[in-house]
PDB file of all heavy atoms in Angstrom:
ATOM      1  N   VAL A1051       1.113   1.129  -1.119  1.00 52.00           N
ATOM      2  CA  VAL A1051       0.963   0.783  -2.522  1.00 52.00           C
ATOM      3  C   VAL A1051       0.435  -0.638  -2.667  1.00 52.00           C
ATOM      4  O   VAL A1051      -0.359  -0.949  -3.548  1.00 52.00           O
ATOM      5  CB  VAL A1051       2.321   0.931  -3.243  1.00 52.00           C
ATOM      6  CG1 VAL A1051       2.195   0.566  -4.714  1.00 52.00           C
ATOM      7  CG2 VAL A1051       2.827   2.360  -3.109  1.00 52.00           C
ATOM      8  N   THR A1052       0.856  -1.522  -1.803  1.00 57.00           N
ATOM      9  CA  THR A1052       0.520  -2.928  -1.946  1.00 57.00           C
ATOM     10  C   THR A1052      -0.596  -3.383  -1.021  1.00 57.00           C
ATOM     11  O   THR A1052      -1.396  -4.224  -1.382  1.00 57.00           O
ATOM     12  CB  THR A1052       1.760  -3.794  -1.661  1.00 57.00           C
ATOM     13  OG1 THR A1052       2.182  -3.539  -0.313  1.00 57.00           O
ATOM     14  CG2 THR A1052       2.875  -3.449  -2.611  1.00 57.00           C
ATOM     15  N   ARG A1053      -0.622  -2.883   0.210  1.00 57.00           N
ATOM     16  CA  ARG A1053      -1.639  -3.165   1.218  1.00 57.00           C
ATOM     17  C   ARG A1053      -1.579  -4.586   1.767  1.00 57.00           C
ATOM     18  O   ARG A1053      -2.324  -4.921   2.661  1.00 57.00           O
ATOM     19  CB  ARG A1053      -3.051  -2.884   0.683  1.00 57.00           C
ATOM     20  CG  ARG A1053      -3.285  -1.451   0.298  1.00 57.00           C
ATOM     21  CD  ARG A1053      -4.772  -1.139   0.302  1.00 57.00           C
ATOM     22  NE  ARG A1053      -5.520  -1.857  -0.683  1.00 57.00           N
ATOM     23  CZ  ARG A1053      -5.784  -1.416  -1.900  1.00 57.00           C
ATOM     24  NH1 ARG A1053      -5.347  -0.255  -2.279  1.00 57.00           N
ATOM     25  NH2 ARG A1053      -6.504  -2.126  -2.730  1.00 57.00           N
ATOM     26  N   PHE A1054      -0.706  -5.445   1.247  1.00 62.00           N
ATOM     27  CA  PHE A1054      -0.687  -6.818   1.737  1.00 62.00           C
ATOM     28  C   PHE A1054       0.080  -6.961   3.041  1.00 62.00           C
ATOM     29  O   PHE A1054      -0.050  -7.964   3.734  1.00 62.00           O
ATOM     30  CB  PHE A1054      -0.066  -7.748   0.694  1.00 62.00           C
ATOM     31  CG  PHE A1054       1.439  -7.834   0.775  1.00 62.00           C
ATOM     32  CD1 PHE A1054       2.043  -8.906   1.417  1.00 62.00           C
ATOM     33  CD2 PHE A1054       2.239  -6.847   0.238  1.00 62.00           C
ATOM     34  CE1 PHE A1054       3.419  -8.983   1.510  1.00 62.00           C
ATOM     35  CE2 PHE A1054       3.598  -6.922   0.329  1.00 62.00           C
ATOM     36  CZ  PHE A1054       4.199  -7.996   0.960  1.00 62.00           C
ATOM     37  N   VAL A1055       0.897  -5.968   3.419  1.00 63.00           N
ATOM     38  CA  VAL A1055       1.771  -6.142   4.566  1.00 63.00           C
ATOM     39  C   VAL A1055       1.021  -6.224   5.887  1.00 63.00           C
ATOM     40  O   VAL A1055       1.577  -6.672   6.882  1.00 63.00           O
ATOM     41  CB  VAL A1055       2.821  -5.012   4.654  1.00 63.00           C
ATOM     42  CG1 VAL A1055       3.769  -5.068   3.484  1.00 63.00           C
ATOM     43  CG2 VAL A1055       2.145  -3.666   4.741  1.00 63.00           C
ATOM     44  N   ARG A1056      -0.245  -5.786   5.913  1.00 65.00           N
ATOM     45  CA  ARG A1056      -1.012  -5.895   7.147  1.00 65.00           C
ATOM     46  C   ARG A1056      -1.662  -7.260   7.298  1.00 65.00           C
ATOM     47  O   ARG A1056      -2.228  -7.574   8.331  1.00 65.00           O
ATOM     48  CB  ARG A1056      -2.077  -4.800   7.196  1.00 65.00           C
ATOM     49  CG  ARG A1056      -1.500  -3.390   7.244  1.00 65.00           C
ATOM     50  CD  ARG A1056      -0.682  -3.180   8.493  1.00 65.00           C
ATOM     51  NE  ARG A1056      -0.070  -1.862   8.498  1.00 65.00           N
ATOM     52  CZ  ARG A1056       0.761  -1.430   9.425  1.00 65.00           C
ATOM     53  NH1 ARG A1056       1.097  -2.210  10.420  1.00 65.00           N
ATOM     54  NH2 ARG A1056       1.282  -0.228   9.357  1.00 65.00           N
ATOM     55  N   ALA A1057      -1.603  -8.084   6.257  1.00 69.00           N
ATOM     56  CA  ALA A1057      -2.113  -9.446   6.370  1.00 69.00           C
ATOM     57  C   ALA A1057      -1.138 -10.275   7.199  1.00 69.00           C
ATOM     58  O   ALA A1057       0.066 -10.022   7.191  1.00 69.00           O
ATOM     59  CB  ALA A1057      -2.284 -10.060   4.981  1.00 69.00           C
ATOM     60  N   PRO A1058      -1.623 -11.278   7.931  1.00 76.00           N
ATOM     61  CA  PRO A1058      -0.722 -12.118   8.723  1.00 76.00           C
ATOM     62  C   PRO A1058       0.325 -12.783   7.837  1.00 76.00           C
ATOM     63  O   PRO A1058       0.028 -13.205   6.711  1.00 76.00           O
ATOM     64  CB  PRO A1058      -1.673 -13.151   9.350  1.00 76.00           C
ATOM     65  CG  PRO A1058      -3.019 -12.503   9.322  1.00 76.00           C
ATOM     66  CD  PRO A1058      -3.040 -11.649   8.098  1.00 76.00           C
ATOM     67  N   LEU A1059       1.541 -12.895   8.353  1.00 82.00           N
ATOM     68  CA  LEU A1059       2.639 -13.477   7.582  1.00 82.00           C
ATOM     69  C   LEU A1059       2.332 -14.891   7.089  1.00 82.00           C
ATOM     70  O   LEU A1059       2.647 -15.214   5.931  1.00 82.00           O
ATOM     71  CB  LEU A1059       3.922 -13.467   8.414  1.00 82.00           C
ATOM     72  CG  LEU A1059       5.161 -14.083   7.745  1.00 82.00           C
ATOM     73  CD1 LEU A1059       5.501 -13.344   6.464  1.00 82.00           C
ATOM     74  CD2 LEU A1059       6.345 -14.075   8.714  1.00 82.00           C
ATOM     75  N   PRO A1060       1.726 -15.779   7.910  1.00 85.00           N
ATOM     76  CA  PRO A1060       1.427 -17.124   7.391  1.00 85.00           C
ATOM     77  C   PRO A1060       0.556 -17.099   6.139  1.00 85.00           C
ATOM     78  O   PRO A1060       0.744 -17.916   5.233  1.00 85.00           O
ATOM     79  CB  PRO A1060       0.706 -17.796   8.566  1.00 85.00           C
ATOM     80  CG  PRO A1060       1.227 -17.097   9.776  1.00 85.00           C
ATOM     81  CD  PRO A1060       1.403 -15.671   9.357  1.00 85.00           C
ATOM     82  N   ARG A1061      -0.396 -16.178   6.081  1.00 82.00           N
ATOM     83  CA  ARG A1061      -1.248 -16.110   4.889  1.00 82.00           C
ATOM     84  C   ARG A1061      -0.456 -15.639   3.678  1.00 82.00           C
ATOM     85  O   ARG A1061      -0.691 -16.096   2.556  1.00 82.00           O
ATOM     86  CB  ARG A1061      -2.435 -15.178   5.147  1.00 82.00           C
ATOM     87  CG  ARG A1061      -3.398 -15.715   6.184  1.00 82.00           C
ATOM     88  CD  ARG A1061      -4.642 -14.850   6.292  1.00 82.00           C
ATOM     89  NE  ARG A1061      -5.484 -15.283   7.391  1.00 82.00           N
ATOM     90  CZ  ARG A1061      -6.609 -14.685   7.742  1.00 82.00           C
ATOM     91  NH1 ARG A1061      -7.021 -13.619   7.068  1.00 82.00           N
ATOM     92  NH2 ARG A1061      -7.320 -15.127   8.757  1.00 82.00           N
ATOM     93  N   VAL A1062       0.455 -14.697   3.893  1.00 85.00           N
ATOM     94  CA  VAL A1062       1.293 -14.237   2.786  1.00 85.00           C
ATOM     95  C   VAL A1062       2.146 -15.388   2.265  1.00 85.00           C
ATOM     96  O   VAL A1062       2.293 -15.578   1.049  1.00 85.00           O
ATOM     97  CB  VAL A1062       2.182 -13.058   3.235  1.00 85.00           C
ATOM     98  CG1 VAL A1062       3.162 -12.670   2.141  1.00 85.00           C
ATOM     99  CG2 VAL A1062       1.325 -11.862   3.619  1.00 85.00           C
ATOM    100  N   LEU A1063       2.710 -16.179   3.177  1.00 89.00           N
ATOM    101  CA  LEU A1063       3.554 -17.298   2.769  1.00 89.00           C
ATOM    102  C   LEU A1063       2.747 -18.423   2.121  1.00 89.00           C
ATOM    103  O   LEU A1063       3.311 -19.250   1.403  1.00 89.00           O
ATOM    104  CB  LEU A1063       4.320 -17.841   3.978  1.00 89.00           C
ATOM    105  CG  LEU A1063       5.347 -16.893   4.606  1.00 89.00           C
ATOM    106  CD1 LEU A1063       5.975 -17.518   5.832  1.00 89.00           C
ATOM    107  CD2 LEU A1063       6.412 -16.515   3.585  1.00 89.00           C
ATOM    108  N   LEU A1064       1.440 -18.462   2.367  1.00 89.00           N
ATOM    109  CA  LEU A1064       0.602 -19.503   1.781  1.00 89.00           C
ATOM    110  C   LEU A1064       0.179 -19.188   0.348  1.00 89.00           C
ATOM    111  O   LEU A1064      -0.267 -20.085  -0.372  1.00 89.00           O
ATOM    112  CB  LEU A1064      -0.655 -19.712   2.635  1.00 89.00           C
ATOM    113  CG  LEU A1064      -0.493 -20.563   3.893  1.00 89.00           C
ATOM    114  CD1 LEU A1064      -1.790 -20.570   4.686  1.00 89.00           C
ATOM    115  CD2 LEU A1064      -0.105 -21.987   3.517  1.00 89.00           C
ATOM    116  N   VAL A1065       0.294 -17.941  -0.050  1.00 89.00           N
ATOM    117  CA  VAL A1065      -0.144 -17.560  -1.394  1.00 89.00           C
ATOM    118  C   VAL A1065       0.586 -18.376  -2.453  1.00 89.00           C
ATOM    119  O   VAL A1065      -0.033 -18.969  -3.351  1.00 89.00           O
ATOM    120  CB  VAL A1065       0.066 -16.055  -1.629  1.00 89.00           C
ATOM    121  CG1 VAL A1065      -0.197 -15.710  -3.095  1.00 89.00           C
ATOM    122  CG2 VAL A1065      -0.839 -15.245  -0.729  1.00 89.00           C
ATOM    123  N   GLY A1066       1.918 -18.415  -2.365  1.00 91.00           N
ATOM    124  CA  GLY A1066       2.704 -19.139  -3.362  1.00 91.00           C
ATOM    125  C   GLY A1066       2.336 -20.613  -3.453  1.00 91.00           C
ATOM    126  O   GLY A1066       2.021 -21.109  -4.554  1.00 91.00           O
ATOM    127  N   PRO A1067       2.346 -21.375  -2.347  1.00 94.00           N
ATOM    128  CA  PRO A1067       2.003 -22.798  -2.431  1.00 94.00           C
ATOM    129  C   PRO A1067       0.577 -23.062  -2.922  1.00 94.00           C
ATOM    130  O   PRO A1067       0.352 -23.990  -3.705  1.00 94.00           O
ATOM    131  CB  PRO A1067       2.183 -23.274  -0.985  1.00 94.00           C
ATOM    132  CG  PRO A1067       3.178 -22.339  -0.399  1.00 94.00           C
ATOM    133  CD  PRO A1067       2.898 -21.020  -1.026  1.00 94.00           C
ATOM    134  N   ILE A1068      -0.390 -22.258  -2.465  1.00 93.00           N
ATOM    135  CA  ILE A1068      -1.778 -22.484  -2.899  1.00 93.00           C
ATOM    136  C   ILE A1068      -1.917 -22.240  -4.390  1.00 93.00           C
ATOM    137  O   ILE A1068      -2.516 -23.026  -5.125  1.00 93.00           O
ATOM    138  CB  ILE A1068      -2.735 -21.579  -2.096  1.00 93.00           C
ATOM    139  CG1 ILE A1068      -2.823 -22.050  -0.645  1.00 93.00           C
ATOM    140  CG2 ILE A1068      -4.130 -21.576  -2.726  1.00 93.00           C
ATOM    141  CD1 ILE A1068      -3.673 -21.173   0.236  1.00 93.00           C
ATOM    142  N   TRP A1069      -1.342 -21.132  -4.869  1.00 93.00           N
ATOM    143  CA  TRP A1069      -1.399 -20.856  -6.297  1.00 93.00           C
ATOM    144  C   TRP A1069      -0.638 -21.911  -7.085  1.00 93.00           C
ATOM    145  O   TRP A1069      -1.033 -22.280  -8.191  1.00 93.00           O
ATOM    146  CB  TRP A1069      -0.827 -19.476  -6.576  1.00 93.00           C
ATOM    147  CG  TRP A1069      -1.747 -18.357  -6.199  1.00 93.00           C
ATOM    148  CD1 TRP A1069      -2.826 -18.424  -5.379  1.00 93.00           C
ATOM    149  CD2 TRP A1069      -1.654 -17.006  -6.637  1.00 93.00           C
ATOM    150  NE1 TRP A1069      -3.413 -17.183  -5.262  1.00 93.00           N
ATOM    151  CE2 TRP A1069      -2.723 -16.294  -6.019  1.00 93.00           C
ATOM    152  CE3 TRP A1069      -0.793 -16.315  -7.455  1.00 93.00           C
ATOM    153  CZ2 TRP A1069      -2.925 -14.943  -6.226  1.00 93.00           C
ATOM    154  CZ3 TRP A1069      -0.992 -14.956  -7.660  1.00 93.00           C
ATOM    155  CH2 TRP A1069      -2.046 -14.270  -7.060  1.00 93.00           C
ATOM    156  N   ALA A1070       0.489 -22.382  -6.534  1.00 94.00           N
ATOM    157  CA  ALA A1070       1.285 -23.393  -7.226  1.00 94.00           C
ATOM    158  C   ALA A1070       0.510 -24.697  -7.376  1.00 94.00           C
ATOM    159  O   ALA A1070       0.588 -25.364  -8.418  1.00 94.00           O
ATOM    160  CB  ALA A1070       2.598 -23.633  -6.476  1.00 94.00           C
TER     161      ALA A1070
END
Side-chain angles (χ1 to χ4, degrees):
V1051 180
T1052 61
R1053 298 202 295 268
F1054 86 99
V1055 294
R1056 296 298 177 184
L1059 178 60
R1061 293 187 187 178
V1062 174
L1063 295 177
L1064 280 175
V1065 172
I1068 290 177
W1069 285 17

